[in-house]
């Protein structure tokens, strides 16, 4: 039987906790005559539905060639700028903003090997602001693809997002479309690629993880 909605494992604890509270308030609303408990039960039920929707985890079938660099996230491209990265050198940084309505799963864009994965605690500025790129809590993952091309994916927390889940570990071999991680409640994902990278997207475009071609290594 096909699932109506696939839920990300990263959301199980939150969904379970809210479900328990909702069940308790619902039972209390049946046995007690306080109207506010019934109202609270209704609010919690709709909150539970919203949380389940947020933690949806669609299974994406990849139809593109493995040589295409696919978007690691759903969202909107808010900037494409020149960058100097300590690991990659002269490069381009492509920033994707994820609103609370976007799927918050991240996927690996290419077959590659993880060279390192670094977590940096930080602030919680709005993820759409440029200063969030450097000052916010984030995880930075450096990859090397099968053709020895380096690239980096950064998961950045936002004003609402306070929890980054990263599944990448050093020396891990990953396949295109593999689960990279999850950012809970509003965030930003950045792609850092060398100058030689041929970019196929523009600022303002909406992108879809595992579907939109970000570009190719020349």
């Amino acid at each position: 039987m096909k699932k109506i909605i696939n839920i990300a494992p990263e959301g199980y604890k939150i969904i379970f906790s809210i479900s328990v509270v909702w069940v308790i308030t619902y039972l209390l609303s049946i046995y007690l005559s306080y109207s506010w408990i019934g109202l609270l039960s209704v609010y919690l039920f709709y909150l539970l539905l919203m949380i389940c929707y947020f933690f949806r985890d669609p299974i994406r079938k990849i139809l593109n060639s493995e040589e295409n660099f696919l978007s690691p996230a759903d969202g909107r491209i808010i900037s494409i700028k020149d960058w100097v990265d300590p690991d990659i050198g002269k490069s381009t940084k492509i920033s994707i903003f994820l609103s609370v309505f976007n799927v918050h799963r991240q996927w690996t864009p290419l077959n590659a090997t993880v060279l390192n994965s670094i977590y940096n605690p930080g602030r919680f500025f709005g993820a759409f602001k440029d200063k969030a790129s450097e000052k916010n809590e984030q995880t930075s993952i450096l990859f090397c693809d099968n053709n020895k091309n380096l690239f980096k994916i950064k998961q950045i927390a936002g004003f609402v997002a306070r929890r980054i889940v990263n599944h990448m570990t050093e020396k891990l071999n990953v396949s295109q479309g593999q689960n990279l991680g999850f950012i809970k409640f509003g965030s930003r994902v950045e792609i850092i690629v060398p100058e030689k990278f041929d970019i196929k997207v523009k600022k303002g475009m909406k992108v879809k993880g595992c579907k939109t071609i970000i570009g190719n290594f020349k």
Side-chain angles (χ1 to χ4, degrees):
M1 183 177 179
K2 188 176 180 180
K3 292 183 180 180
I4 297 176
I5 181 172
N6 193 56
I7 301 296
E10 293 86 348
Y12 287 173
K13 288 184 180 180
I14 295 176
I15 292 171
F16 176 76
S17 299
I18 296 176
S19 297
V20 170
V21 175
W22 171 67
V23 169
I24 292 172
T25 56
Y26 176 71
L27 292 176
L28 288 175
S29 70
I30 294 175
Y31 294 103
L32 299 177
S33 58
Y34 298 112
S35 59
W36 66 269
I37 296 180
L39 188 61
L40 178 60
S41 174
V42 172
Y43 283 141
L44 285 172
F45 176 72
Y46 283 109
L47 176 63
L48 179 60
L49 292 181
M50 291 172 61
I51 295 297
C52 287
Y53 177 75
F54 176 83
F55 281 104
R56 65 196 186 281
D57 191 12
I59 298 173
R60 299 275 169 86
K61 186 176 181 181
I62 298 173
L63 301 177
N64 297 289
S65 166
E66 292 182 358
E67 294 181 359
N68 290 326
F69 191 106
L70 304 182
S71 177
D74 288 9
R76 180 173 58 86
I77 295 177
I78 55 174
S79 73
I80 300 175
K81 60 174 61 176
D82 293 335
W83 193 251
V84 178
D85 185 83
D87 298 303
I88 300 174
K90 290 185 178 180
S91 52
T92 303
K93 182 172 68 173
I94 303 168
S95 302
I96 303 172
F97 174 70
L98 289 70
S99 75
V100 293
F101 300 106
N102 289 123
V103 171
H104 275 58
R105 163 72 63 208
Q106 288 84 56
W107 298 269
T108 52
L110 283 176
N111 295 338
T113 300
V114 178
L115 298 184
N116 62 51
S117 180
I118 301 172
Y119 169 76
N120 291 310
R123 306 285 293 277
F124 295 98
F125 293 112
F128 54 88
K129 296 182 179 180
D130 286 340
K131 61 183 176 180
S133 176
E134 295 302 310
K135 296 183 180 295
N136 280 21
E137 176 183 345
Q138 58 190 264
T139 298
S140 178
I141 308 126
L142 179 64
F143 295 89
C144 181
D145 73 4
N146 296 336
N147 294 316
K148 307 302 180 184
N149 296 302
L150 296 178
F151 65 92
K152 188 175 286 187
I153 303 294
K154 294 173 69 174
Q155 298 172 285
I156 302 172
F159 178 73
V160 180
R162 300 291 171 129
R163 182 75 171 88
I164 295 174
V165 179
N166 171 34
H167 300 308
M168 301 291 98
T169 56
E170 189 174 339
K171 298 182 180 180
L172 179 67
N173 293 318
V174 298
S175 301
Q176 189 179 51
Q178 185 173 326
N179 285 352
L180 182 149
F182 202 97
I183 312 177
K184 300 179 181 181
F185 307 112
S187 45
R188 177 179 180 130
V189 171
E190 292 185 341
I191 305 163
I192 300 176
V193 288
E195 281 186 316
K196 64 180 179 179
F197 190 82
D198 183 19
I199 298 174
K200 303 291 187 184
V201 293
K202 296 181 180 180
K203 181 179 177 180
M205 279 184 59
K206 290 184 178 180
V207 295
K208 195 168 184 179
C210 294
K211 298 293 183 183
T212 304
I213 299 173
I214 298 295
N216 306 93
F217 286 101
K218 293 180 181 178

